[in-house]
Amino acid sequence: MKTKLFDNKLLKSRVTCDSVTGKEKWLGYLLGPCGALLLNAVLATYLNVYYTDVLNLTHIWGGIFLTVFPIISKIIDAFTNVIMGYVIDRTKTSEGKARPWLLLSAPMVAISGILLFAVPKASETVQAIWVMLSYNLFYSFSYTIFSMSHNLMVPLSTRNTTERGGLSVFNQIASIMMSGILVALIFPMVIIPMLGVDKAKWVTVMSILSIISLPLILLEYYFTKERVTEEKGEESEKLPFRTQLKVVLTDKYTLIVLIYFLIFTFGSSLKNIGLVYYCNYVLGTYNDGITQMLVSVIGGVPMGIGIFAVWPLAKKFGKRNVTMWGFVLYAIGSLLCWLVPTNMVVVLIGQFIKNIGGLPCAYVFMALFADTLDHLDWKSGMRCDGLAMSIYSIISCAMIGIVTGIFNGLLANAGYIAPTVDQLGNTVAFTQPSAVTDVITFSFVGLETFTGIILAVLLIFFSVEKTVSRKQAIIKARRGVETDVVLEPLSERDEALWQVEKAKGEEYYLAIQKELDRE
């Protein structure tokens, strides 16, 4: 996609400095993403509750609908993610290749967010069709365009690992503020009890959240800058999709980071969807306004602490190392909750330990992902940001659909009983069968005991950051870009490993360049 549309001064980035600025951090990476991230966090926690408790769709078509439709929808989403990655890698404008798509996503996210909840009062078939269409419009198109563009901002912003790490933290603060403060505190205490199962109230509140996302996405667009993309210049080579796919799917570090993200996302998605049900039926009572707030906020206090602690620890001990040992704590905290799932004190302690362990993963993942993209660039001579991010997005989106389908299927088979409204308009919830509470408990506190251990072991083999600064220097040298980075010496063992990797990398680079010449 080549266009001069973005040569218009009105569409130019308000960031012009070659180094990351404070304005860029606060407006582009902290405030700008808040609207869309808040909407997505609310949907991740409450959209399924809206389907099961407000629209009462749990047993529609014998329980098949809410089991199958999310999975089918995510198959569609997978295709659109691949297409979006392909398009981003071939987008060339004066404003970069990913940022322009933020501009397009702003109105789309707002409109499709409203349509998710504005389900007409009609037959079950009509409601099912509306739910399927609105769900796919939001997740398969609108949010796909936003999330892929948004997630590429950190890797494409700068090659300076310190600046990039700082942006990763700011980026994650936005997510934590939305999910850890508003969705975890305000919603369960104030908003959800007020909404009950009143559909009109749900539509009003969710429409407001959707509209708020529009100006904030525009803020992210105007206060970000793709410095890495600008290195390549406007006449960068058009890279064959087949070659990009080969580079991404045959690289050890890329496969590790994608498998890592798949496992983590599966566990966290099942936990997120089980949160409300766990607080309503296992630990507390339906929409009591207290239980979910305590679990989310007391357990999430470490996320606030992590703003100040994680990056200094990551710089001292390495991003991989603090993340790896964090997952050991993550598994211990989850196990503690699982052993005594109905004891509030024990669960809060377990959640606190678990979230301490999850801090590094939350704050430095995108920096690790950016290191991997630079590694791919060094190894092949190509930027594969769009394709790699499309696979990342496929995992993120597909897991939500797969997990939602699995969870709803288990609820239906276990005999879940949706709440009703009495003659006075009050919400009436029922005691769930033990099979239902067992499903909910494993979803929220059981599964991540296992995923935490698996992730800690997997990260042992992920050592890309040790030599990323050397690879960045080689990338710049190939492109004739001057660098004043002072390379830190490696230990004798790591130096020997680097020499082996460097020799293999140069051989692979030459092979890819020959393949490109043939193309």
Side-chain angles (χ1 to χ4, degrees):
M1 169 184 158
K2 294 183 178 180
T3 178
K4 293 184 178 180
L5 172 66
F6 292 89
D7 292 340
N8 189 310
K9 289 184 178 180
L10 292 176
L11 300 180
K12 290 290 185 181
S13 172
R14 299 306 184 258
V15 178
T16 58
C17 185
D18 289 336
S19 299
V20 174
T21 65
K23 186 182 292 187
E24 189 175 354
K25 290 179 181 178
W26 289 97
L27 298 181
Y29 288 86
L30 181 61
L31 183 58
C34 282
L37 292 178
L38 172 60
L39 179 60
N40 186 56
V42 171
L43 295 179
T45 305
Y46 295 108
L47 181 59
N48 201 68
V49 175
Y50 182 71
Y51 289 158
T52 61
D53 293 7
V54 181
L55 299 183
N56 197 15
L57 301 178
T58 304
H59 299 286
I60 186 173
W61 302 346
I64 293 175
F65 174 66
L66 283 187
T67 302
V68 175
F69 117 79
I71 298 175
I72 294 177
S73 296
K74 292 310 175 182
I75 293 174
I76 298 172
D77 203 357
F79 281 108
T80 60
N81 272 277
V82 172
I83 293 170
M84 194 62 213
Y86 183 90
V87 170
I88 286 177
D89 273 334
R90 285 153 183 79
T91 297
K92 289 188 280 188
T93 75
S94 59
E95 293 302 295
K97 62 182 183 179
R99 283 184 57 252
W101 295 100
L102 285 173
L103 200 59
L104 176 64
S105 72
M108 292 181 64
V109 168
I111 294 169
S112 59
I114 295 171
L115 294 177
L116 275 173
F117 292 88
V119 181
K121 187 176 181 180
S123 67
E124 286 186 345
T125 300
V126 171
Q127 286 190 321
I129 292 172
W130 185 284
V131 166
M132 287 188 287
L133 291 177
S134 62
Y135 188 93
N136 280 285
L137 179 61
F138 182 84
Y139 282 109
S140 298
F141 293 95
S142 306
Y143 201 76
T144 288
I145 294 172
F146 167 78
S147 64
M148 289 190 64
S149 306
H150 163 73
N151 288 327
L152 278 172
M153 287 303 97
V154 171
L156 293 177
S157 62
T158 176
R159 288 197 192 276
N160 185 301
T161 54
T162 300
E163 290 182 345
R164 195 158 63 187
L167 291 179
S168 179
V169 170
F170 267 79
N171 213 31
Q172 193 58 27
I173 290 172
S175 179
I176 297 301
M177 284 196 310
M178 296 303 101
S179 61
I181 298 177
L182 290 179
V183 178
L185 179 60
I186 305 301
F187 268 77
M189 285 188 67
V190 181
I191 306 298
I192 297 303
M194 179 190 72
L195 300 182
V197 290
D198 188 321
K199 180 184 172 184
K201 292 179 180 178
W202 276 84
V203 173
T204 300
V205 170
M206 299 308 167
S207 295
I208 292 171
L209 292 181
S210 299
I211 292 169
I212 289 172
S213 69
L214 195 156
L216 292 179
I217 293 174
L218 294 179
L219 192 67
E220 180 176 5
Y221 169 78
Y222 280 111
F223 289 94
T224 50
K225 182 178 176 66
E226 291 186 29
R227 296 174 182 84
V228 173
T229 305
E230 291 173 1
E231 286 179 9
K232 296 175 71 67
E234 293 184 0
E235 301 302 321
S236 58
E237 188 174 12
K238 187 175 181 180
L239 305 171
F241 180 76
R242 179 179 58 82
T243 305
Q244 283 186 305
L245 194 64
K246 173 184 176 182
V247 169
V248 171
L249 296 183
T250 58
D251 180 69
K252 178 182 75 172
Y253 293 131
T254 308
L255 291 177
I256 289 175
V257 81
L258 292 174
I259 292 170
Y260 158 95
F261 184 63
L262 186 150
I263 295 170
F264 174 77
T265 304
F266 183 82
S268 61
S269 295
L270 195 58
K271 174 200 68 180
N272 289 339
I273 199 171
L275 169 63
V276 177
Y277 299 87
Y278 177 77
C279 294
N280 284 343
Y281 298 113
V282 179
L283 193 60
T285 56
Y286 196 86
N287 281 354
D288 57 30
I290 299 295
T291 305
Q292 187 181 336
M293 181 274 293
L294 288 175
V295 171
S296 299
V297 175
I298 301 300
V301 164
M303 289 299 173
I305 301 171
I307 296 174
F308 308 100
V310 168
W311 192 244
L313 288 173
K315 286 199 293 185
K316 183 174 182 179
F317 299 107
K319 298 187 289 288
R320 187 277 305 266
N321 292 336
V322 295
T323 305
M324 180 175 65
W325 286 107
F327 275 119
V328 175
L329 287 178
Y330 197 82
I332 292 172
S334 297
L335 178 61
L336 187 61
C337 295
W338 195 18
L339 291 175
V340 195
T342 59
N343 187 300
M344 177 68 79
V345 174
V346 174
V347 169
L348 291 180
I349 293 171
Q351 287 294 297
F352 187 86
I353 294 171
K354 174 184 171 183
N355 282 287
I356 285 285
L359 281 173
C361 172
Y363 284 111
V364 305
F365 174 76
M366 287 313 298
L368 283 172
F369 190 73
D371 288 349
T372 306
L373 292 178
D374 279 350
H375 162 78
L376 280 179
D377 192 350
W378 161 78
K379 184 177 177 183
S380 65
M382 299 189 295
R383 294 299 302 185
C384 299
D385 309 290
L387 178 59
M389 187 55 66
S390 70
I391 298 173
Y392 167 94
S393 296
I394 287 171
I395 292 170
S396 179
C397 297
M399 282 302 105
I400 294 173
I402 292 170
V403 165
T404 301
I406 291 172
F407 183 79
N408 287 331
L410 291 173
L411 283 187
N413 289 332
Y416 179 74
I417 307 170
T420 61
V421 179
D422 63 20
Q423 294 180 342
L424 299 176
N426 298 315
T427 301
V428 179
F430 303 95
T431 301
Q432 298 295 337
S434 59
V436 171
T437 57
D438 287 344
V439 166
I440 293 170
T441 300
F442 180 76
S443 299
F444 184 67
V445 296
L447 179 61
E448 290 191 315
T449 303
F450 301 103
T451 59
I453 295 170
I454 294 170
L455 290 168
V457 172
L458 184 64
L459 285 171
I460 293 173
F461 305 98
F462 188 72
S463 57
V464 67
E465 69 180 301
K466 286 184 178 180
T467 55
V468 70
S469 60
R470 296 183 175 217
K471 293 169 182 175
Q472 290 172 343
I474 292 173
I475 293 168
K476 289 185 175 183
R478 287 173 182 166
R479 293 176 183 153
V481 179
E482 293 185 6
T483 177
D484 55 359
V485 176
V486 178
L487 301 180
E488 296 183 4
L490 298 173
S491 67
E492 186 176 334
R493 177 178 177 275
D494 288 339
E495 181 65 41
L497 291 174
W498 160 242
Q499 293 300 330
V500 172
E501 185 181 19
K502 182 181 178 183
K504 290 181 178 179
E506 289 174 349
E507 182 179 343
Y508 189 88
Y509 172 76
L510 292 173
I512 289 294
Q513 298 311 305
K514 288 181 180 179
E515 187 172 328
L516 289 175
D517 290 340
R518 287 195 298 271
E519 294 284 350

